[in-house]
């Protein structure tokens, strides 16, 4: 639990340097785009008319970002020159300070590498419907229109989009006109609220429009757009949008800022969603059927992108180093919707999951301050620190300020900074102006400093002196450069109706808090509301942990108690856990308990998990099925086969199939190869089967997994199968060479997610033969995430930090021995009973 030995990779890769926004020569007042996309030939004809105002000095030459654009001509200027991804426009005479100029650039985009994407039917996927979409974040607008492509510049925009008659086209802002002209349909949009270039969008294709009515204070019309046949799935995915608009307006004290709100679901999208002002692009992977709807929801994605309309769009990070003001807020607002929709347990669990996700990245990759400007590409900072740790900071701020002050502060921040660019200091100032609280120390510790406290909580009772003692230890490395974290935390000591609440100030690595009491505490509650951004471990002892698991109001506290009890494994602990599987009211506690007891591989845990397969909540069953992968046992395999066969949930079936592979049962290969032929939503079940096949550690698995990776497959299945391929390569020596050859190909797959999965598989395999391909991708990959992933995988491979095959095999042998030991243990217990 202490992470002293944790050797982080540095966040900054070789070549990274401090980034600052460029100087401003002009203010861009308006961009007008005339766009004619050709969906068949994958081209775009455009005219970009820009109005600028010179600021402090005469402007003779303006250099715009414009990558791969074929410039046909510039009017309204004295000339132009194209070089190195830019177009320089010359003015004679120069634009005088305060003076305006309007110039038009006519250009063409032909088979673009980024920014603008065309989806077409192919030999492998004849079912695909031709359409086009754009993706400008972070700095890809320049691939489809010339502009000053940086978030701190904001301007109004207008778009005229000309498409074949009957085709739909979406742009930003109000739809001014839609008319047929000859063989074309013309759409005219205008965004009157200034926005950044990375938020400009164009989507064109035969989309179906579904009107969701009007929402919010200004009765804004709400729409979603899907390709034909997906209308029902669209309703399932986007149905709650109007209620979310009303909720966010109420919490933020600010009306939804734009003329309309649309969500459009496109194929092959390279993100989950993109918050273009008034016109979010969503992946069509979020459209789902009725079966998936039982334990899958698009609400987090929908809430996230909607929240960006305020945080990101109306208030925009001034440069990417402050992008947590976009992403941390949008992630936090997902939890706010979950709280309003499903209750406070779900909210708290959402924050808990955020912290766990951040902790995993911090443990396995690197540690960095949330605000950080040293990077190669902006996308480098779009990680779990930015999103999840950012969201956790806001939850902690909510605890620090209290409910009313917190929301008033956010409202003040939105009011004072609407239509502007923001940095973290603007949030600090809004809080100070609203409440008088100076939180510079808070932000310095949680936003500008890397890492977090790792905390162990103990409690004891001295009956003679009637004194309860709670100790709080900070286990993270502490030295002169890294002082202990300083924070206040609430403790509640209770027994039946009697309770005592205190607020403790923690500033030393080892804090002892002594509380005189006239009763022995039976329940010790640490940090009710789980506000502290920390890796918290309970060491309360089995009695107090059992009481916490049973009686603590907070789901997070119950999870911490379950984890302590799982480790303890004594009689009291075992009974407490078994009881919780009977009585616990929140599924998330049981999901976490299942994982914790599964990791112990203890015989008692196996029994609890097998019974949990019958639990009514599919997410509990899924966690139990996952955890049962720790047991190599015929009965477990039988139960998993049965679960995979009869359970309704795709995710449960997938988990059961992967775990079945881990059991190495003789029946598994046939069951898994059969399951691999199913066709379910997003390839979820087949993907689970591919994972299970890899876990078998059987050379026969190579052929079916390779087939599943093939380009004809569903994207979801291909991604899972590529990851499975990497796993098989680590388990089966003779599969290694064909796996390396296949991964070498998939690293340059045209499907972004397949390529990124291949990077992950290459990193886990750590085979030096993949270095040339990884190095190539790290330098030449057009997408920043691929470059970053490939660079990290190459560094890890060179370091040889991956476990050699002999070690994997020895670990396998240890597992076998453990299994034998477990069976003997069971025999002993059986004899003892009779
Ligand atoms: Zn986002």
């Amino acid at each position: 639990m202490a992470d002293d030995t944790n050797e982080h990779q540095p966040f900054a890769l070789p070549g990274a340097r401090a980034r600052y926004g460029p100087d401003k020569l002009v203010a861009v007042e308006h961009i007008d785009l005339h766009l004619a996309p050709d969906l068949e030939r994958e081209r775009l004809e455009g005219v970009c008319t820009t109005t600028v105002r010179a600021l402090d000095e005469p402007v003779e030459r303006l250099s715009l970002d414009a990558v791969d654009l074929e410039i046909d001509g510039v009017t309204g200027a004295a000339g132009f020159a194209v070089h190195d991804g830019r177009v320089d426009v010359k003015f004679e005479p120069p634009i005088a300070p305060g003076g305006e100029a309007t110039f038009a650039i006519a250009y063409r985009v032909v088979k673009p590498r980024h920014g603008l994407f065309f989806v077409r039917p192919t030999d492998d996927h004849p079912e695909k419907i031709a359409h086009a979409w754009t993706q400008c974040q972070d700095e890809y607008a320049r691939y489809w229109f010339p502009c000053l492509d940086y978030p701190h510049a904001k301007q109004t925009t207008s778009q005229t989009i000309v498409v074949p008659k009957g085709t739909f086209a979406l742009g930003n802002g109000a739809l001014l006109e839609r008319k047929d002209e000859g063989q074309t349909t013309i759409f005219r949009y205008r965004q009157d609220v200034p926005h950044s270039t990375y938020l400009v969008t164009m989507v064109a294709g035969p989309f179906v429009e579904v009107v969701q009515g009007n929402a919010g204070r200004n009765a804004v019309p709400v729409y979603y757009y899907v390709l034909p046949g997906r209308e029902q799935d669209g309703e399932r995915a986007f149905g709650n949008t109007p209620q979310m608009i009303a909720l966010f307006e109420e919490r933020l004290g600010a009306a939804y800022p734009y003329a309309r709100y649309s969500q459009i679901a496109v194929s092959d999208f390279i993100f989950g969603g993109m918050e273009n002002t008034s016109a979010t692009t969503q992946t069509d992977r979020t459209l789902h059927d009725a079966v998936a709807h039982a334990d899958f929801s698009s609400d987090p994605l929908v809430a996230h992108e909607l929240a960006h309309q305020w945080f990101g769009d109306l208030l925009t990070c001034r440069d990417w180093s402050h992008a947590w003001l976009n992403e941390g807020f949008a992630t936090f607002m997902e939890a706010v919707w979950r709280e309003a929709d499903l209750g406070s347990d779900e909210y708290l669990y959402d924050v808990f999951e955020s912290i766990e996700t951040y902790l995993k990245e911090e443990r396995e990759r690197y540690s960095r301050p949330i605000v950080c400007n040293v990077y190669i590409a902006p996308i480098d900072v779009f990680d779990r620190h930015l999103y999840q740790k950012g969201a956790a900071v806001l939850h902690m701020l909510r605890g620090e300020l209290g409910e009313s002050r917190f929301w008033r502060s956010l409202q003040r921040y939105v009011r004072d900074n609407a239509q502007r660019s923001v940095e973290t200091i603007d949030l600090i100032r809004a809080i100070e102006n609203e409440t008088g609280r100076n939180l510079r120390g808070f932000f310095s510790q949680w936003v500008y400093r890397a890492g977090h406290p790792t905390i162990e909580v103990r409690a004891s009772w001295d009956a003679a002196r009637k004194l309860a003692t709670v100790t709080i230890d900070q286990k993270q490395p502490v030295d002169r450069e890294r002082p202990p974290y300083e924070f206040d935390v609430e403790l509640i000591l209770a027994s039946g109706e009697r309770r005592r609440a205190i607020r403790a100030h923690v500033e030393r690595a080892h804090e002892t808090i002594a509380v005189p009491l006239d009763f022995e505490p039976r329940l010790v509650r640490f940090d009710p509301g789980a506000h502290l951004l920390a890796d918290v471990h309970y060491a309360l002892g089995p009695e107090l942990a059992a009481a916490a698991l049973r009686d603590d109001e907070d789901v997070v506290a119950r999870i911490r108690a379950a984890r302590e009890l799982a480790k303890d494994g004594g009689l009291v602990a075992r009974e407490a856990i078994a009881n919780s599987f009977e009585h616990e009211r929140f599924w998330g506690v049981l999901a976490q308990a299942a994982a914790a007891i599964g990791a112990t591989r203890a015989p008692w845990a196996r029994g609890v998990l097998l019974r949990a397969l019958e639990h009514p909540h599919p997410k509990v069953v899924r966690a139990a099925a996952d955890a049962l992968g720790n047991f190599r046992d015929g009965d477990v395999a039988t139960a998993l086969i049965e679960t995979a066969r009869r359970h309704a949930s795709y995710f449960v079936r997938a988990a059961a199939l992967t775990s079945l592979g881990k059991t190495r049962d003789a029946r598994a290969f046939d069951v898994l190869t059969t399951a691999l032929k199913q066709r379910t939503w997003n390839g979820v079940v087949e993907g689970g089967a591919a994972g299970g096949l890899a876990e078998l550690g059987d050379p026969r698995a190579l052929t079916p997994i390779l087939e599943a990776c093939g380009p004809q497959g569903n994207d979801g299945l291909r991604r899972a199968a590529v990851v499975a391929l990497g796993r098989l390569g680590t388990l089966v020596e003779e599969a290694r060479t064909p796996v390396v050859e296949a991964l070498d190909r998939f690293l340059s797959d045209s499907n972004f997610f397949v390529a990124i999965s291949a990077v992950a598989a290459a990193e886990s395999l750590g085979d030096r033969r993949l270095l040339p391909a990884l190095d190539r991708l790290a330098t030449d990959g057009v997408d920043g995430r691929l470059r970053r992933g490939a660079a990290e995988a190459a560094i890890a491979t060179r370091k040889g930090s991956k476990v050699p095959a002999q070690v994997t095999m020895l670990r396998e042998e240890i597992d076998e021995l453990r299994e034998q030991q477990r069976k003997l243990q069971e025999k002993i217990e059986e004899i003892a009973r009779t």
Side-chain angles (χ1 to χ4, degrees):
M1 134 182 170
D3 42 13
D4 293 278
T5 54
N6 190 358
E7 285 264 340
H8 287 117
Q9 300 282 349
F11 166 71
L13 295 178
R17 59 179 171 81
R19 306 279 165 173
Y20 302 93
D23 294 334
K24 269 191 188 176
L25 206 56
V26 297
V28 180
E29 302 287 348
H30 187 79
I31 297 175
D32 177 75
L33 293 168
H34 188 282
L35 304 164
D38 183 337
L39 303 185
E40 300 298 319
R41 292 156 67 212
E42 304 187 23
R43 295 159 60 100
L44 172 85
E45 304 262 346
V47 179
C48 176
T49 307
T50 308
T51 302
V52 298
R53 183 168 45 81
L55 293 174
D56 196 49
E57 50 186 299
V59 176
E60 258 176 275
R61 192 183 66 102
L62 191 59
S63 184
L64 302 174
D65 299 294
V67 181
D68 297 347
L69 304 184
E70 294 179 14
I71 309 286
D72 291 330
V74 179
T75 55
F80 73 97
V82 176
H83 66 99
D84 309 324
R86 314 192 68 85
V87 54
D88 291 352
V89 181
K90 291 181 196 114
F91 300 96
E92 264 174 33
I95 318 168
E100 285 194 357
T102 297
F103 57 94
I105 302 176
Y107 64 100
R108 268 166 303 138
V109 182
V110 180
K111 300 210 179 214
R113 286 186 297 156
H114 214 294
L116 169 61
F117 295 78
F118 291 91
V119 179
R120 307 255 313 125
T122 60
D123 289 346
D124 291 319
H125 290 279
E127 78 287 357
K128 282 199 172 156
I129 298 171
H131 60 288
W133 46 265
T134 61
Q135 170 60 33
C136 297
Q137 196 175 13
D138 309 306
E139 294 172 352
Y140 296 109
R142 59 189 68 173
Y143 282 78
W144 67 280
F145 66 93
C147 56
L148 294 172
D149 200 5
Y150 205 74
H152 72 184
K154 288 193 171 195
Q155 56 271 303
T156 52
T157 58
S158 48
Q159 287 158 288
T160 303
I161 310 171
V162 183
V163 287
K165 198 170 177 177
T167 301
F168 175 74
L170 183 64
N172 302 85
L175 174 61
L176 304 181
E177 191 180 20
R178 172 185 193 152
K179 64 173 180 197
D180 291 337
E181 218 175 77
Q183 285 313 300
T184 64
T185 303
I186 298 169
F187 290 81
R188 292 206 308 119
Y189 289 91
R190 185 175 174 91
Q191 178 55 285
D192 274 326
V193 184
H195 60 154
S196 302
T197 49
Y198 81 90
L199 296 165
V200 176
T201 185
M202 180 204 68
V203 182
F207 291 89
V208 180
E209 177 176 276
V210 179
V211 183
Q212 292 185 274
N214 300 308
R217 292 184 193 174
N218 299 334
V220 171
V222 181
Y223 308 85
Y224 66 79
Y225 298 87
V226 290
L227 289 167
R230 305 304 299 273
E231 294 87 341
Q232 278 290 316
D233 295 346
E235 186 57 34
R236 236 173 254 121
F238 306 130
N240 286 330
T241 310
Q243 293 90 306
M244 289 179 192
I245 291 176
L247 176 76
F248 290 177
E249 284 191 344
E250 188 262 312
R251 289 285 199 276
L252 303 177
Y256 170 83
Y258 305 109
R260 67 208 303 264
Y261 188 55
S262 307
Q263 292 170 93
I264 189 159
V266 304
S267 303
D268 299 350
F269 196 49
I270 55 172
F271 287 91
M274 178 61 212
E275 66 271 20
N276 308 303
T277 57
S278 80
T280 289
T281 306
Q282 302 280 24
T283 169
D284 66 359
R285 294 181 300 277
T286 205
L287 303 175
H288 56 279
D289 61 23
V291 174
H293 202 54
D295 53 349
F296 173 85
S297 169
S298 297
D299 278 8
L301 175 65
V302 172
H304 182 105
E305 304 309 332
L306 177 65
H308 271 315
Q309 301 294 321
W310 287 267
F311 300 115
D313 294 5
L314 188 62
L315 289 73
T316 309
C317 60
R318 195 173 187 289
D319 62 56
W320 302 115
S321 69
H322 292 276
W324 83 282
L325 298 172
N326 297 10
E327 299 303 345
F329 276 71
T331 306
F332 175 71
M333 294 302 282
E334 295 173 35
V336 171
W337 165 253
R338 199 161 158 183
E339 179 179 41
D341 186 40
L342 302 170
S344 56
D345 285 354
E346 292 275 354
Y347 166 80
L348 215 50
Y349 192 66
D350 196 294
V351 176
F352 168 81
E353 284 180 310
S354 278
I355 294 180
E356 292 278 302
T357 305
Y358 150 69
L359 290 174
K360 185 172 180 336
E361 178 171 89
E362 207 272 348
R363 201 166 53 234
E364 295 176 2
R365 288 179 71 194
Y366 51 71
S367 191
R368 70 171 182 90
I370 292 179
V371 174
C372 166
N373 74 343
V374 180
Y375 52 77
I376 296 175
I379 196 77
D380 291 353
V381 299
F382 283 71
D383 59 5
R384 302 305 121 212
H385 286 64
L386 196 75
Y387 288 72
Q388 280 81 3
K389 189 181 183 187
V393 165
L394 289 170
H395 170 64
M396 189 163 43
L397 190 62
R398 193 179 183 177
E400 177 73 31
L401 291 172
E403 199 61 5
S404 162
R405 284 187 173 141
F406 172 72
W407 288 111
R408 279 194 284 117
S409 296
L410 288 202
Q411 290 167 9
R412 178 81 174 237
Y413 169 63
V414 171
R415 200 165 60 235
D416 289 355
N417 296 285
Q419 302 196 16
R420 304 236 296 255
S421 308
V422 283
E423 297 171 274
T424 305
I425 189 66
D426 295 307
L427 176 62
I428 297 172
R429 288 205 177 107
I431 296 167
E432 192 170 16
N433 290 337
E434 185 63 32
T435 69
R437 292 287 307 275
N438 177 359
L439 292 187
R440 282 166 181 79
F442 175 97
F443 281 85
S444 155
Q445 182 165 268
W446 304 108
V447 175
Y448 289 97
R449 173 178 170 179
H452 56 268
T454 298
I455 284 174
E456 189 174 81
V457 186
R458 295 174 181 275
S460 62
W461 169 245
D462 183 337
R465 295 163 62 206
K466 289 200 162 285
L467 195 67
T469 306
V470 177
T471 59
I472 299 172
D473 283 304
Q474 299 194 32
K475 298 280 194 174
Q476 77 281 3
V478 169
D479 53 35
R480 198 182 297 212
E481 254 105 73
R482 294 169 294 183
Y485 283 81
E486 191 176 343
F487 52 88
D488 285 350
V489 68
E490 194 183 349
L491 301 170
I492 296 176
L493 306 171
S495 176
E497 294 301 298
R498 289 172 296 183
R499 75 196 280 282
R500 172 88 187 276
I502 53 165
R503 199 158 178 83
H505 182 71
V506 175
E507 60 182 22
R508 285 170 299 197
H510 176 77
E511 290 280 358
T512 305
I513 297 132
V515 191
L517 285 177
D518 55 7
F519 60 89
E520 179 182 354
R522 304 285 181 188
L523 181 66
V524 174
R525 299 186 61 199
F526 172 81
D527 186 25
H531 289 289
L532 190 65
L533 200 175
D535 187 9
V536 178
H537 299 259
Y538 280 2
L540 298 171
E543 273 78 19
L544 282 174
L549 178 58
R550 192 182 57 236
D551 296 330
D552 201 300
E553 288 164 37
D554 280 3
V555 296
V556 175
R558 301 209 291 280
I559 291 165
R560 289 169 181 159
R563 287 178 170 177
E564 178 183 346
L565 293 165
K567 248 189 218 160
D568 179 284
L571 192 62
V572 172
R574 277 146 45 187
E575 275 181 5
I577 298 242
N579 262 324
S580 77
F581 274 86
E582 303 293 321
H583 303 296
E584 172 58 49
R585 63 176 193 276
F586 185 66
W587 65 269
V589 174
L590 295 183
Q592 296 298 328
I597 65 175
T600 69
R601 302 181 172 212
W604 66 272
R606 172 181 166 276
V608 173
L609 292 170
L610 282 172
R611 283 193 296 283
L613 290 177
E614 307 302 322
H615 197 279
H617 201 298
K619 291 184 183 174
V620 174
V621 183
R622 177 181 176 181
D626 258 335
L628 281 165
N630 290 299
F631 301 87
R632 277 191 194 165
D633 172 307
D635 293 345
V636 168
T638 304
L640 289 170
I641 291 170
E642 192 56 24
T643 302
R645 199 173 58 77
R646 70 166 170 82
H647 207 283
S649 159
Y650 297 140
F651 298 100
V652 167
R653 282 149 64 191
L657 290 166
T658 303
S659 285
L660 174 63
K662 292 181 183 167
T663 67
R664 308 262 169 104
D665 187 89
R667 293 161 290 175
F669 183 79
D670 289 340
V671 173
L672 291 169
T673 43
T674 307
L676 194 60
K677 296 193 183 86
Q678 296 186 33
R679 289 296 166 255
T680 59
W681 170 72
N682 277 359
V684 170
V685 174
E686 313 78 289
L693 276 168
E695 294 294 345
L696 280 180
D698 181 337
R700 286 181 301 163
L702 181 64
T703 306
I705 293 177
L706 271 177
E707 270 172 29
C709 293
Q712 309 81 2
N714 165 297
D715 291 352
L717 171 59
R718 294 191 68 205
R719 290 163 69 174
V722 167
V723 171
L725 204 57
R727 176 75 179 145
L728 186 72
T730 59
L731 290 175
V732 181
E733 194 56 49
E734 63 228 79
R736 210 172 164 91
T737 296
V739 164
V740 166
E741 285 163 3
L743 288 180
D744 199 80
R745 278 199 313 281
F746 294 131
L747 282 171
S748 52
D749 199 276
S750 61
N751 182 299
F752 170 77
F753 288 108
V754 171
I756 203 92
S757 301
V759 169
E763 177 159 1
S764 73
L765 196 61
D767 194 297
R768 301 184 72 87
R769 285 172 289 179
L770 287 168
L771 281 173
L774 287 171
D775 288 341
R776 220 167 25 243
L777 200 54
T779 334
D780 304 339
V782 69
D783 190 286
R785 286 169 295 172
L786 280 174
R787 287 199 303 272
R788 167 108 206 169
E792 283 189 28
I795 289 170
T797 302
R798 286 205 166 84
K799 272 178 79 178
S801 58
K802 291 302 142 192
V803 178
Q806 303 98 295
V807 175
T808 310
M809 285 183 211
L810 285 170
R811 283 191 181 151
E812 297 271 302
E813 272 179 49
I814 293 171
D815 284 351
E816 291 293 341
L817 290 169
R818 280 219 184 98
E819 198 51 34
Q820 286 174 26
Q821 184 196 10
R822 187 184 66 73
K823 282 180 181 151
L824 289 171
Q825 191 77 36
E826 274 180 340
K827 248 184 210 158
I828 293 169
E829 282 174 22
E830 205 181 304
I831 292 165
R833 271 199 298 275
T834 52

